[in-house]
Amino acid sequence: MTTPALLPLSGRRIPTLTPGVSSFPHHRATLRLSEKFILLLILSAFITLCFGAFFFLPDSSKHKRPPLPPLSLGLRSLRDKIRADHERALQEAKEKLRKSKDELKAEIQTEKTKVAEDLKKKDGPKPLPPVPMPKLVGVNDGDPGDPDTKEKRDKIREMMKHAWDSYRQYGWGHNELKPLAKKGHSTNIFGNSQMGATIVDALDTLYIMGLHDEFKDGQEWIEQNLDFSVNAEVSVFEVNIRFIGGLLAAYYLSGQEVFKVKAVQLAEKLLPAFNTPTGIPWAMVNLKSGVGRNWGWASAGSSILAEFGTLHMEFVHLTYLSGNPAYYEKVRHIRKLLAKMDRPNGLYPNYLNPRTGRWGQHHTSVGGLGDSFYEYLLKAWLMSDKTDTEARKTYDDAIEAIERHLIRKSNGGLTFIGEWKNGHLERKMGHLTCFAGGMFALGADGSPDDKAGHYLQLGAEIAHTCHESYDRTVLKLGPEAFKFDSGLEAVAVRQNEKYYILRPEVIETYWYMWRFTHDPKYRQWGWEATQAIDKYCRVSGGFSGVKDVYSSNPTYDDVQQSFFLAETLKYLYLLFSGDDLLPLENWVFNTEAHPLPVLHMANITLPGSQNQG
């Protein structure tokens, strides 16, 4: 006898017929006597059950039900219902076809939004753990005392209000403003998205200036519109210093939870940028897909020192506020990797390949591409309440090499910081490099070998050189870069280096030098810059950069940079305020001038760390 084969079919197993063989065994054709007897017993039991049910069922007359319709009537009503549903569907389809494309798009968008909201409700973000707020000192006031200084400070506040009101009127929600065209503006560092960069960047400046109605407007926009699930490729560095830095500062100053929540949401979107063979992040990341890449112009596909080296401050605060050790671990890993690498002449090249872990071309700068890496080494130490001694040692070693190889005195006696390119020193200094005067002053206390006085003096010399770069122009505003050779000193030579785009670095150094020395010349120089900006950069729709600081009739670049509100106007306001406004013992400013509180690390253990490092 052949047993039927079993084959799978939609998850079941069924018998298949083999040709020429009966599908059932032959011995089942006849039933035995015992089997007939069992069948009779079952049948009699069934009849008894039915008979009993007849007597014990409740009286149906007490529970009257409507009689069931005849079968043909039920089928007819079902058919009518199907026909009615079909007619209704056809009618709805006709109505949809009559609608315009825009109306249909709007309807689809509404449905998508509803689905997105439902999903958010279903698995919204986990609540952040409660953590103690660091000691906050001097978040407002800072009255300078004398009426003349107060009048100057009020003027700077009025300039901030003009810049903000113009953006509010003409560029609201866009990243930046075109003040002459009176419309929104964006650059590739923010991708193609409208993320309100100026709003986020300006919040803390508005707060410390007491512009609370404007601050509230910005907060409402952020609550309702700031969305990071956009298909946009953004600069990790710029988004970190402007958005995460701005949101964290706004949170610490105001105590409003929305800023903390948004900062952590955005930071999560940046983490995929670190998915490289070395852990050195890509320069850019797509906020939606998480795909990263580097700038096409960077040396051999490299990441940039000032970009991957300017994350530490914000990422330590993110770990502190979120309880997620990933942020702290990412920046610790970068520091450890750099510590293992050989450095030509003790200098850090500006380019590092994230795939191979090797330096790109040997170009070292304390200006663009390198600047804030050194700044964040010092500030990591300050922000840790001076417990992160590894950061301080790394900073001191780097500055020693910079002094040896990059800092020189010109024939006219001006101290400048050049750039190291392929084995030789280029005697040119960028406007960006002028921040270093303030950095040297900030790092003077705690310098090795009792060199505090030396570094304070070096800061003063850099401040003087950078003031000369302003003073030697027609507009009394500094160029983008200036040379020290061929008899020309602190002057731009190339046409494409003669522009001023509302940059803050020179004023930043004036402020730090004022805080540490109280020499009145720094306020005088700051006021010269304030007047020049107001005279030559102010237009009816805001403030614009100028293309040639050596021309008495300059053309505008028609961009009001977000950093003008975040940094330039903030540093000017602080320069004409009392030292009790954001005291440097309690606050450390990120490279976009966003103040973050010192974390007293003796009382704090960051998740994922044995101790702060």
Side-chain angles (χ1 to χ4, degrees):
M1 190 198 81
T2 307
T3 307
L6 294 174
L7 292 175
L9 178 69
S10 302
R12 298 171 186 264
R13 298 176 76 79
I14 60 165
T16 58
L17 300 180
T18 306
V21 180
S22 167
S23 62
F24 295 102
H26 291 278
H27 65 265
R28 290 189 184 173
T30 56
L31 293 172
R32 293 179 190 158
L33 186 63
S34 59
E35 288 173 337
K36 284 182 181 177
F37 182 73
I38 288 164
L39 275 175
L40 276 170
L41 277 175
I42 291 168
L43 187 61
S44 63
F46 179 73
I47 290 165
T48 306
L49 186 66
C50 291
F51 190 77
F54 179 80
F55 285 100
F56 292 108
L57 277 174
D59 186 356
S60 62
S61 63
K62 293 174 187 172
H63 306 280
K64 290 190 177 174
R65 293 177 188 164
L68 289 172
L71 186 60
S72 60
L73 193 62
L75 287 172
R76 195 178 302 126
S77 66
L78 181 63
R79 187 182 61 199
D80 291 345
K81 185 180 181 305
I82 292 168
R83 185 178 291 150
D85 288 346
H86 182 62
E87 290 290 334
R88 190 163 56 252
L90 276 174
Q91 190 58 35
E92 281 177 14
K94 283 176 186 173
E95 284 171 15
K96 294 267 187 212
L97 288 170
R98 286 193 201 104
K99 290 183 179 179
S100 69
K101 192 177 176 182
D102 290 339
E103 285 175 316
L104 285 171
K105 272 186 181 173
E107 269 190 27
I108 292 165
Q109 190 55 49
T110 304
E111 284 299 316
K112 280 170 78 176
T113 306
K114 188 175 178 299
V115 169
E117 281 172 4
D118 290 345
L119 283 171
K120 271 184 194 170
K121 284 173 193 166
K122 193 177 172 186
D123 24 69
K126 293 175 188 170
L128 296 174
V131 291
M133 183 71 97
K135 186 182 176 188
L136 303 180
V137 178
V139 297
N140 45 39
D141 197 26
D143 190 324
D146 71 287
D148 181 55
T149 307
K150 191 171 188 310
E151 191 181 326
K152 287 170 178 169
R153 188 172 88 142
D154 287 345
K155 172 60 184 173
I156 294 156
R157 188 175 184 267
E158 182 277 326
M159 289 167 69
M160 177 67 182
K161 188 152 171 42
H162 176 61
W164 175 265
D165 288 348
S166 300
Y167 169 78
R168 181 78 176 81
Q169 185 173 354
Y170 304 118
W172 193 240
H174 289 266
N175 290 314
E176 291 172 317
L177 171 68
K178 293 176 84 67
L180 280 90
K182 295 184 176 176
K183 64 180 187 180
H185 170 73
S186 193
T187 63
N188 64 340
I189 59 173
F190 305 117
N192 54 3
S193 60
Q194 291 184 26
M195 291 170 64
T198 294
I199 298 172
V200 181
D201 232 359
L203 278 173
D204 53 5
T205 308
L206 293 169
Y207 192 90
I208 67 167
M209 288 185 179
L211 294 168
H212 294 302
D213 289 343
E214 290 81 356
F215 180 88
K216 192 162 173 287
D217 279 352
Q219 180 178 336
E220 282 176 8
W221 187 90
I222 284 167
E223 285 171 338
Q224 294 164 17
N225 301 289
L226 189 55
D227 177 22
F228 305 122
S229 58
V230 289
N231 184 18
E233 190 178 52
V234 300
S235 161
V236 174
F237 162 75
E238 295 287 0
V239 164
N240 177 59
I241 65 169
R242 299 191 201 208
F243 282 82
I244 292 178
L247 289 165
L248 290 175
Y251 165 66
Y252 283 121
L253 289 170
S254 71
Q256 296 293 317
E257 288 282 315
V258 62
F259 301 125
K260 176 173 72 170
V261 171
K262 291 283 186 184
V264 174
Q265 284 175 356
L266 175 55
E268 285 170 358
K269 299 281 190 177
L270 297 186
L271 285 176
F274 292 82
N275 296 337
T276 66
T278 59
I280 296 292
W282 299 114
M284 290 176 288
V285 70
N286 185 297
L287 292 177
K288 191 159 196 163
S289 68
V291 173
R293 70 180 178 96
N294 274 340
W295 302 110
W297 49 263
S299 167
S302 290
S303 298
I304 293 158
L305 183 69
E307 296 196 339
F308 65 76
T310 308
L311 302 165
H312 195 100
M313 287 180 66
E314 297 83 0
F315 276 43
V316 166
H317 272 278
L318 286 166
T319 284
Y320 173 65
L321 292 174
S322 71
N324 182 354
Y327 305 107
Y328 179 67
E329 287 164 359
K330 299 295 184 197
V331 291
R332 286 286 301 141
H333 175 78
I334 291 170
R335 191 190 287 177
K336 283 177 182 172
L337 187 143
L338 289 176
K340 291 178 195 164
M341 295 184 66
D342 289 330
R343 293 181 291 283
N345 297 314
L347 298 169
Y348 289 85
N350 290 340
Y351 300 105
L352 180 62
N353 192 303
R355 288 193 177 91
T356 64
R358 295 195 183 117
W359 297 117
Q361 68 184 74
H362 288 187
H363 172 203
T364 296
S365 165
V366 184
L369 309 180
D371 49 9
S372 46
F373 166 71
Y374 307 100
E375 175 190 354
Y376 269 42
L377 290 174
L378 173 63
K379 289 180 175 179
W381 175 68
L382 291 169
M383 201 181 75
S384 72
D385 201 20
K386 301 183 180 178
T387 60
D388 186 354
T389 50
E390 179 188 66
R392 177 76 215 204
K393 174 77 166 65
T394 310
Y395 169 78
D396 289 333
D397 292 347
I399 297 308
E400 189 186 325
I402 285 165
E403 264 205 277
R404 193 180 310 119
H405 296 288
L406 304 184
I407 298 182
R408 297 287 183 269
K409 205 166 270 251
S410 73
N411 294 335
L414 295 177
T415 302
F416 69 94
I417 309 172
E419 298 195 5
W420 192 264
K421 283 190 177 175
N422 299 317
H424 77 277
L425 186 70
E426 188 177 15
R427 296 169 66 87
K428 180 170 87 171
M429 187 168 170
H431 192 291
L432 289 166
T433 319
C434 286
F435 92 97
M439 178 178 73
F440 292 141
L442 183 62
D445 185 30
S447 296
D449 309 321
D450 298 321
K451 290 175 83 171
H454 165 73
Y455 283 111
L456 195 59
Q457 177 59 30
L458 182 59
E461 289 175 17
I462 297 297
H464 172 65
T465 298
C466 293
H467 175 255
E468 285 299 309
S469 79
Y470 274 53
D471 204 44
R472 297 179 186 192
T473 71
V474 172
L475 304 186
K476 304 301 177 189
L477 293 169
E480 182 69 4
F482 39 96
K483 290 216 163 188
F484 295 88
D485 57 15
S486 310
L488 290 171
E489 296 196 357
V491 174
V493 177
R494 295 180 181 171
Q495 190 59 42
N496 66 355
E497 293 174 341
K498 293 181 178 179
Y499 59 86
Y500 173 70
I501 58 169
L502 307 170
R503 284 204 189 277
E505 291 77 20
V506 174
I507 292 159
E508 175 183 352
T509 279
Y510 294 165
W511 174 60
Y512 279 111
M513 293 309 303
W514 164 257
R515 278 280 174 107
F516 290 113
T517 69
H518 279 203
D519 187 328
K521 73 182 178 189
Y522 296 115
R523 277 187 168 170
Q524 182 196 326
W525 292 352
W527 187 242
E528 287 171 11
T530 304
Q531 290 177 304
I533 291 167
D534 200 51
K535 184 174 182 181
Y536 296 110
C537 300
R538 184 175 185 138
V539 294
S540 65
F543 288 86
S544 169
V546 290
K547 292 183 179 177
D548 188 348
V549 292
Y550 301 96
S551 164
S552 55
N553 188 25
T555 53
Y556 297 109
D557 68 6
D558 197 18
V559 180
Q560 180 176 284
Q561 305 277 352
S562 81
F563 57 66
F564 177 64
L565 293 84
E567 300 185 74
T568 313
L569 290 171
K570 184 187 286 125
Y571 284 130
L572 282 170
Y573 188 80
L574 290 169
L575 179 59
F576 292 96
S577 296
D579 291 359
D580 58 333
L581 181 57
L582 299 174
L584 291 171
E585 298 76 32
N586 303 92
W587 296 90
V588 186
F589 288 71
N590 89 336
T591 199
E592 190 79 357
H594 295 307
L596 300 176
V598 168
L599 292 173
H600 297 278
M601 301 311 293
N603 309 324
I604 294 167
T605 302
L606 287 175
S609 70
Q610 306 306 313
N611 49 45
Q612 164 67 6

